[in-house]
C-alpha cells in the first residue's frame, strides 16, 4: 500500500515517520520547502516525492496543511486521486472543509474523511516531528453519513497501526463544537495570560501552575488565527462563557465576599471531579 502525505510539518512529518516505523507501507511525501523534502528522505521518513504523476498511485492521501490550503489542494487535484483512494485531512477544524471536499469526492469517485489527530507540542516543523507523537492518542474522524463500514474500518486500521490509541468517529459540527473548548479556548487563555506585565517577573516565583498554563502560549499565529476564524461562532461561545464565569470571581473579590468566593471555588473542584469520573 502507498501512503501519500502532503505537508511535512510537525503533524505531517510525524505521520510519515510513524508509517515508516510501524508498517511496511510506501510513503510518498511533499513539502513546499525543498530542504524538508530532502531531510525527510535522508531520515527515512519518505520513499520519494509525491507529485502529480505519483498521486494516482496512492491508496491513502493524508493532507497535513492549514484548512484553506488543504481544501485548495483537494480542489486542485480532484482528477488525480485514484478512484478508490481515501483522502484524509488533518486540520483542526472540520465543518467547512468537509462540506467542500465531500461534494468533490462524490463527484470524482474518491473518498474524503475529515481527520484531526489529537496530539501535538508547542513546537512546529519537521525537525520537531517524531514517530511516537501519536502513541496512545485519539484520532478523530468525521466521515460522510453514508460512508461504508468497510472504508471506515480501513481508515481505522491504518491509524491504529501507526500508534494511535483510539479512533473516534463524530460529525464535523460536533467536532468543531467540542474542539472550541478542549483546544482552542485553552490556546486563547494561555496566550492572553502570558501578556500580563507580571509574566516578566515570574522567575523564582513560578512552578507547575505557571508552566501548565503558559505551555501553549507559544503557538503558530498564522495557523491558529485561521483555525479560530474557521470556528468563530463556537469559540466565541466558549470565550463568552469564560468571561462571565471570571466575572463572578471578580465580583466576589470586589465585594470581599468570602462565602461566595469559597462557593465558586468549591463548585470548580466538584465540577473537575465529576468530569474526571465521566459525568
Amino acid at each position: 500500500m502507498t501512503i501519500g502525505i502532503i505537508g511535512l510539518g510537525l503533524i505531517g512529518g510525524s505521520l510519515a515517520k510513524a508509517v515508516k516505523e510501524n508498517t511496511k507501507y510506501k510513503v510518498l511525501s511533499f513539502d513546499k520547502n525543498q530542504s524538508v523534502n530532502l531531510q525527510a528522505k535522508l531520515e527515512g521518513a519518505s520513499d520519494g516525492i509525491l507529485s502529480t504523476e505519483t498521486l494516482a498511485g496512492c491508496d491513502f492521501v493524508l493532507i497535513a496543511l492549514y484548512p484553506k490550503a488543504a481544501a485548495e489542494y483537494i480542489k486542485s487535484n480532484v482528477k488525480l486521486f485514484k478512484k478508490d483512494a481515501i483522502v484524509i485531512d488533518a486540520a483542526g477544524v472540520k465543518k467547512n472543509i468537509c462540506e467542500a471536499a465531500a461534494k468533490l469526492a462524490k463527484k470524482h469517485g474518491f473518498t474524503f474523511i475529515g481527520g484531526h489527530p489529537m496530539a501535538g507540542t508547542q513546537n512546529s516543523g519537521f525537525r520537531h516531528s517524531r514517530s511516537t507523537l501519536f502513541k496512545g492518542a485519539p484520532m478523530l474522524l468525521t466521515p460522510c453519513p453514508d460512508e461504508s463500514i468497510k472504508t471506515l474500518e480501513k481508515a481505522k486500521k491504518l491509524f491504529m497501526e501507526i500508534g494511535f490509541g483510539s479512533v473516534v468517529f463524530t460529525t464535523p459540527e460536533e467536532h468543531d463544537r467540542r474542539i472550541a473548548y478542549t483546544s482552542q479556548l485553552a490556546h486563547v487563555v494561555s496566550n492572553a495570560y502570558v501578556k500580563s506585565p507580571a509574566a516578566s517577573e515570574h522567575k523564582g516565583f513560578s512552578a507547575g501552575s505557571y508552566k501548565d498554563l503558559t505551555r501553549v502560549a507559544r503557538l503558530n499565529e498564522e495557523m491558529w488565527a485561521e483555525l479560530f476564524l474557521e470556528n468563530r461562532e463556537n469559540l466565541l461561545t466558549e470565550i463568552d462563557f469564560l468571561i462571565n464565569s471570571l466575572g463572578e470571581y471578580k465580583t466576589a473579590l470586589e465585594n470581599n465576599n468570602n462565602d461566595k468566593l469559597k462557593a465558586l471555588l468549591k463548585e470548580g473542584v466538584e465540577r473537575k471531579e465529576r468530569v474526571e469520573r465521566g459525568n
Side-chain angles (χ1 to χ4, degrees):
M1 189 159 70
T2 300
I3 313 293
I5 299 177
I6 306 297
L8 291 173
L10 175 69
I11 298 300
S14 296
L15 285 170
K17 290 177 179 179
V19 172
K20 291 304 296 179
E21 181 168 306
N22 295 289
T23 76
K24 294 182 179 180
Y25 303 147
K26 181 179 181 181
V27 171
L28 298 177
S29 62
F30 178 79
D31 191 274
K32 64 182 180 180
N33 187 328
Q34 291 303 316
S35 64
V36 171
N37 290 321
L38 178 59
Q39 190 63 32
K41 184 72 161 88
L42 291 173
E43 291 188 22
S46 176
D47 297 301
I49 295 293
L50 182 63
S51 65
T52 54
E53 289 77 25
T54 58
L55 183 59
C58 293
D59 302 287
F60 277 91
V61 180
L62 308 181
I63 306 173
L65 302 173
Y66 298 175
K68 291 179 181 177
E72 183 57 37
Y73 179 84
I74 294 169
K75 182 179 178 181
S76 299
N77 292 280
V78 288
K79 296 182 180 180
L80 300 179
F81 296 126
K82 190 163 67 170
K83 290 303 179 183
D84 60 348
I86 300 176
V87 179
I88 302 175
D89 83 303
V93 289
K94 298 272 69 83
K95 186 174 182 292
N96 291 343
I97 190 169
C98 285
E99 287 179 351
K103 293 177 183 177
L104 294 171
K106 187 174 181 179
K107 181 179 179 180
H108 293 276
F110 62 92
T111 295
F112 174 79
I113 300 175
H116 186 186
M118 296 304 295
T121 71
Q122 66 269 34
N123 300 308
S124 60
F126 182 79
R127 66 193 181 96
H128 294 290
S129 65
R130 59 181 188 270
S131 63
T132 57
L133 182 66
F134 311 113
K135 187 176 181 180
M139 178 65 184
L140 305 183
L141 294 179
T142 60
C144 294
D146 58 351
E147 195 56 70
S148 72
I149 296 297
K150 182 179 179 180
T151 298
L152 298 182
E153 286 293 341
K154 188 176 180 181
K156 179 180 179 178
K157 180 176 180 290
L158 172 64
F159 292 114
M160 296 300 289
E161 282 182 315
I162 64 177
F164 284 89
S166 63
V167 174
V168 178
F169 294 98
T170 186
T171 65
E173 293 79 10
E174 186 66 10
H175 169 278
D176 290 356
R177 184 184 70 80
R178 294 195 188 193
I179 219 70
Y181 171 73
T182 61
S183 177
Q184 294 183 342
L185 182 64
H187 283 78
V188 169
V189 170
S190 182
N191 196 263
Y193 172 77
V194 80
K195 292 177 183 177
S196 168
S200 62
E201 304 169 332
H202 82 88
K203 290 184 179 179
F205 292 82
S206 61
S209 298
Y210 175 84
K211 291 178 181 178
D212 289 344
L213 193 48
T214 59
R215 183 180 68 82
V216 293
R218 185 186 292 113
L219 47 71
N220 181 323
E221 66 275 11
E222 289 188 15
M223 180 185 77
W224 283 100
E226 184 174 333
L227 292 174
F228 291 163
L229 290 172
E230 287 251 337
N231 202 26
R232 179 172 171 268
E233 294 303 323
N234 287 317
L235 183 54
L236 282 171
T237 296
E238 294 299 337
I239 290 175
D240 284 342
F241 183 89
L242 180 63
I243 289 173
N244 291 334
S245 184
L246 287 173
E248 293 187 74
Y249 291 85
K250 181 182 178 183
T251 299
L253 288 166
E254 288 174 337
N255 296 333
N256 199 30
N257 191 332
N258 182 61
D259 289 341
K260 179 62 174 178
L261 188 57
K262 286 195 296 184
L264 289 169
L265 294 171
K266 183 179 180 182
E267 181 185 15
V269 171
E270 291 174 345
R271 177 59 177 155
K272 170 66 172 175
E273 291 173 348
R274 289 197 304 272
V275 167
E276 290 182 344
R277 291 196 303 268
N279 52 34

